[in-house]
Amino acid sequence: MADQLSEVLDLVEVYSAVSGGFAARGRWVARSPCYDAMKLIAMVSGHGRMLTDGLDEPVELSAGDVAILNNRTWLQYEGGPQGDGPRHRISPEENFTGLDEADPATDDVVLGIAVGINSAGQELLLQTLPPVGVVRATASAPLRTILDQIFAEVAGRRTGSAFAIRQYGQLLFLAVLRAYLDQVEAPPGWLRVLTDERLRPAVALMHNEPAAPWGLEELARSAAMSRSTFARHFRAAAGMPPLTYLSRYRMLLAQRALRQNDTRIAALAADLGYASEAAFSNAFKREIGESPLHYRHRVRNDPYGRRQPAPA
């Protein structure tokens, strides 16, 4: 099922980029708005406390822990001894402040990772992940290794470091997602059905041949279940019936084609198994809320639909 998950992540064009970081000692605090639909906060070394909208109490972060922020609007994190008294103010927008002189043995080191998702990925990730989640360092050995590699590249500023940081940022997001799915059961939706081993054969059929006229009988047989058992199990995992899932997967493929090339609508309809251009256009508008041509024009102007900072 890992292959299907990778395929869908490619379809929604998930990318992650290390957007900033800092090192601090003693008592410190950092506050900033969140403009990214999804953001990761990584505690490379030391210890900190994170607070954001929707939390009543701060979340404790230790070395190697990564927090997932989903559609949050502001963020505050602090380190050093608790209690009253002044704290040194850190400005997260000052990219990699002090990291070239940081000592992970004594400093609190924090990295921020922005995760971008195109408009087609809203349901896939944002609606199936919690507002705030935490992956502990103990949950994933690769996670600790990737964080150390990112820090070495950021602090060392060696030739090619910008390229390396981009690649490690992608790997970090995947490691966090894997570890999170290993430690909790995702709610019904794309992530859960894509990691359900019993449904793997049926999902593979739909992904490998999305234009085929799949029926419930064939899909159930591939998963070695009766029709009724398969239908119940699939709906419990995906939050939708199997043929609805197939239709939505076809729409993901259609959205990618409309974003990336100038394929004619009639040809795209045929490639996805629709009997006519009109049938495809009606299905697309019903699912996406706009016509294929309007969607193509809109997303080519703003493929990720990122939130913009509000005027001061």
Side-chain angles (χ1 to χ4, degrees):
M1 190 58 65
D3 289 341
Q4 276 78 50
L5 179 58
S6 297
E7 179 186 10
V8 171
L9 291 177
D10 283 339
L11 280 174
V12 300
E13 298 177 335
V14 174
Y15 78 91
S16 57
V18 181
S19 54
F22 61 84
R25 299 176 185 176
R27 292 165 53 84
W28 57 268
V29 62
R31 300 183 182 92
S32 65
C34 288
Y35 298 129
D36 302 292
M38 184 177 294
K39 193 174 184 70
L40 306 180
I41 300 298
M43 201 79 204
V44 179
S45 65
H47 183 86
R49 296 170 293 280
M50 182 192 73
L51 189 64
T52 187
D53 46 323
L55 292 180
D56 295 327
E57 298 290 336
V59 172
E60 301 283 335
L61 296 177
S62 299
D65 293 345
V66 179
I68 306 168
L69 304 182
N70 181 0
N71 270 327
R72 301 299 87 195
T73 61
W74 59 268
L75 172 66
Q76 173 177 306
Y77 31 106
E78 62 180 40
Q82 298 192 53
D84 297 330
R87 291 184 179 275
H88 174 55
R89 180 74 177 259
I90 301 291
S91 297
E93 65 271 17
E94 297 175 8
N95 285 357
F96 313 129
T97 301
L99 288 188
D100 53 348
E101 300 177 357
D103 182 357
T106 58
D107 294 350
D108 298 323
V109 178
V110 178
L111 291 176
I113 298 92
V115 180
I117 311 163
N118 67 29
S119 57
Q122 301 298 306
E123 180 181 3
L124 172 64
L125 287 179
L126 300 186
Q127 293 181 21
T128 54
L129 289 174
V132 181
V134 177
V135 173
R136 300 297 178 185
T138 53
S140 172
L143 184 61
R144 175 74 265 179
T145 300
I146 294 169
L147 282 178
D148 289 341
Q149 290 170 323
I150 292 175
F151 174 76
E153 293 291 344
V154 169
R157 301 180 184 274
R158 295 177 294 177
T159 301
S161 62
F163 177 82
I165 291 168
R166 287 196 299 272
Q167 307 311 307
Y168 286 135
Q170 293 287 81
L171 291 175
L172 178 65
F173 171 75
L174 181 58
V176 168
L177 184 60
R178 283 173 172 170
Y180 183 79
L181 292 174
D182 285 343
Q183 70 184 29
V184 302
E185 183 176 64
W190 287 88
L191 290 181
R192 185 162 162 185
V193 75
L194 289 170
T195 53
D196 189 308
E197 287 299 322
R198 293 187 66 192
L199 296 175
R200 178 173 185 167
V203 174
L205 285 180
M206 291 187 279
H207 282 218
N208 292 338
E209 297 184 64
W214 296 113
L216 193 59
E217 183 73 36
E218 295 165 294
L219 295 172
R221 189 183 307 118
S222 74
M225 300 182 196
S226 68
R227 285 182 51 170
S228 58
T229 299
F230 173 75
R232 285 195 302 270
H233 188 80
F234 196 101
R235 188 174 193 125
M240 67 188 86
L243 299 186
T244 300
Y245 175 90
L246 175 59
S247 176
R248 293 189 178 179
Y249 179 68
R250 287 171 172 170
M251 291 301 108
L252 280 179
L253 295 173
Q255 287 170 283
R256 177 176 64 179
L258 291 167
R259 288 193 307 270
Q260 295 182 353
N261 57 57
D262 295 317
T263 303
R264 295 182 61 184
I265 303 301
L268 182 57
D271 289 343
L272 294 176
Y274 290 90
S276 67
E277 179 179 343
F280 166 69
S281 295
N282 288 338
F284 190 94
K285 189 169 184 178
R286 184 170 57 250
E287 182 68 32
I288 308 303
E290 58 189 326
S291 71
L293 288 176
H294 187 274
Y295 174 85
R296 171 180 277 163
H297 175 74
R298 179 177 60 81
V299 299
R300 288 188 177 184
N301 291 329
D302 184 16
Y304 289 95
R306 287 182 285 264
R307 288 183 286 178
Q308 299 299 316

